[in-house]
Amino acid sequence: MSIIKVFDQYLCKGLENVPVLREGNVSKEEYSEFQNQRNEYTPYHTQTQFTYSPENIQGPGCDIDPSEVTLPGCSCNAHSCLRESCSCLQTYGQTCRQTYDSHGRLQDQGDTETGYCRPVFECNALCGCSEACCNRVVQRGLGLKLCVYPTEDRGWGLRALEPIPCGTFVCEYAGEVIGFEEARRRQLAQGLEDNNYIIAVREYAGQGPVSETFVDPTVVGNVGRFLNHSCQPNLFMVPVRVHSLVPRLALFAGRDITPQEELTFDYSGGYSNTPSVERLVQSDPGTEASETGTLQRKPCHCGAQNCSQFLPLDLSVLNN
């Protein structure tokens, strides 16, 4: 059987600013049928019933609609906000710098002393500043050329098709925002061969209560769903709030990235911002999941020199 490498621009269904390419190997027969029925036939499917959504949607157990405007806006009547006068920028940490530089790149990659990243508050629909304000980056959506492709031993992966400078916003990790009990139910329902896409973001505010956000792109999600784990990643995740109290899980380049390089992040929240973001982590790689015989440590194939040999697995949702 002859195999053809094809590129499909219909993964995101026209919902992003730029098309997301999808690379795959198909037979000549499949390719012919694909050309005839392009709008309804997928010869190398990513997952049955997967629906593309560029932003988070409200799922079971989530009390707040992520699309609803619930945060106040700044009163800046300016083309672009300045930290000295903008309430949105002042909410972001104690640094003297703007959140983003003049190229829209994140300037702060986390607190090196505590290991935590700072949440970002962008200007929103209620702000008086213009749409060109420097504090509007993640809300503008995908702006880079990316490609979903089949890896040799880690399923689907995502790579860059253009150079990405350090600090650049790459994409969101978007999906259904669900509650704790729903996250627990979905975890317990997973089989040995099932992939776990649920990510848990835990935000700490001094001695106050921990804020938790659970995002699951298994059935509804965006291009971030195809990012693989690496123990030495080139992306890091930051909770970014725009219109809603529900954060957007934004992924930024932690270093300069070259074209054709695979994009990865640490599922346990590693980089300079560990451990504020965790992918549903247990420190002992030899320990299997308790309370269920289906959730066990899966081997890591990232190939990094500091590879931990196992993918992160968070049992806190199951053991709570």
Side-chain angles (χ1 to χ4, degrees):
M1 179 178 64
S2 299
I3 298 297
I4 301 174
K5 179 176 288 188
V6 297
F7 292 89
D8 174 21
Q9 299 188 35
Y10 288 80
L11 175 66
C12 62
K13 308 297 182 184
L15 297 175
E16 299 283 13
N17 299 323
V18 293
V20 177
L21 293 177
R22 180 175 51 177
E23 174 187 331
N25 297 323
V26 300
S27 68
K28 286 187 175 180
E29 293 75 15
E30 287 178 318
Y31 183 70
S32 177
E33 185 172 357
F34 174 56
Q35 291 292 83
N36 293 331
Q37 304 178 21
R38 194 173 187 108
N39 291 328
E40 55 186 84
Y41 179 69
T42 308
Y44 37 91
H45 61 80
T46 53
Q47 178 174 330
T48 304
Q49 303 300 326
F50 174 69
T51 301
Y52 195 96
S53 175
E55 299 180 348
N56 289 328
I57 67 168
Q58 186 175 15
C62 177
D63 298 327
I64 303 175
D65 184 348
S67 65
E68 183 180 353
V69 180
T70 56
L71 290 177
C74 67
S75 57
C76 304
N77 291 314
H79 179 74
S80 189
C81 293
L82 298 175
R83 188 179 185 281
E84 292 75 17
S85 56
C86 177
S87 58
C88 299
L89 287 169
Q90 291 170 0
T91 307
Y92 172 66
Q94 300 298 321
T95 62
C96 298
R97 297 185 296 179
Q98 302 279 99
T99 304
Y100 305 107
D101 66 13
S102 59
H103 300 285
R105 299 167 191 162
L106 189 69
Q107 300 200 76
D108 187 356
Q109 294 188 16
D111 191 321
T112 56
E113 294 183 3
T114 65
Y116 287 82
C117 66
R118 295 186 180 93
V120 169
F121 290 81
E122 292 194 356
C123 292
N124 59 51
L126 300 181
C127 292
C129 57
S130 73
E131 291 297 320
C133 176
C134 64
N135 197 37
R136 299 177 185 268
V137 173
V138 173
Q139 62 191 270
R140 293 174 184 159
L142 188 67
L144 298 171
K145 296 177 182 178
L146 307 176
C147 179
V148 174
Y149 73 104
T151 66
E152 292 184 1
D153 54 5
R154 288 165 296 121
W156 293 95
L158 185 67
R159 62 184 170 201
L161 296 180
E162 61 181 288
I164 304 177
C166 180
T168 300
F169 167 63
V170 176
C171 67
E172 287 187 47
Y173 190 89
E176 287 183 279
V177 182
I178 58 178
F180 174 86
E181 292 299 332
E182 179 65 15
R184 175 182 170 84
R185 185 192 69 79
R186 294 185 183 188
Q187 283 275 289
L188 289 173
Q190 289 179 1
L192 281 171
E193 302 301 321
D194 291 335
N195 292 321
N196 173 42
Y197 294 97
I198 301 174
I199 194 166
V201 176
R202 298 183 176 94
E203 298 178 90
Y204 302 81
Q207 300 301 315
V210 177
S211 172
E212 291 187 315
T213 304
F214 301 93
V215 176
D216 183 7
T218 304
V219 177
V220 180
N222 75 332
V223 69
R225 175 188 189 276
F226 302 98
L227 289 165
N228 279 316
H229 164 81
S230 176
C231 298
Q232 192 173 353
N234 50 24
L235 305 180
F236 64 95
M237 183 177 283
V238 177
V240 176
R241 286 176 171 82
V242 182
H243 311 294
S244 173
L245 286 171
V246 178
R248 299 187 182 193
L249 309 186
L251 290 143
F252 294 85
R255 58 171 174 79
D256 292 342
I257 299 172
T258 59
Q260 301 303 315
E261 185 176 349
E262 182 177 9
L263 301 171
T264 59
F265 74 104
D266 187 337
Y267 289 175
S268 68
Y271 215 83
S272 60
N273 58 341
T274 186
S276 60
V277 180
E278 303 173 32
R279 177 103 166 213
L280 291 179
V281 358
Q282 188 156 321
S283 59
D284 180 4
T287 304
E288 294 183 355
S290 58
E291 287 198 9
T292 173
T294 60
L295 284 178
Q296 299 181 8
R297 301 304 299 271
K298 294 183 178 181
C300 178
H301 301 290
C302 72
Q305 290 184 346
N306 64 333
C307 181
S308 65
Q309 306 303 316
F310 290 89
L311 293 176
L313 175 64
D314 183 2
L315 300 181
S316 62
V317 172
L318 300 177
N319 295 337
N320 195 318

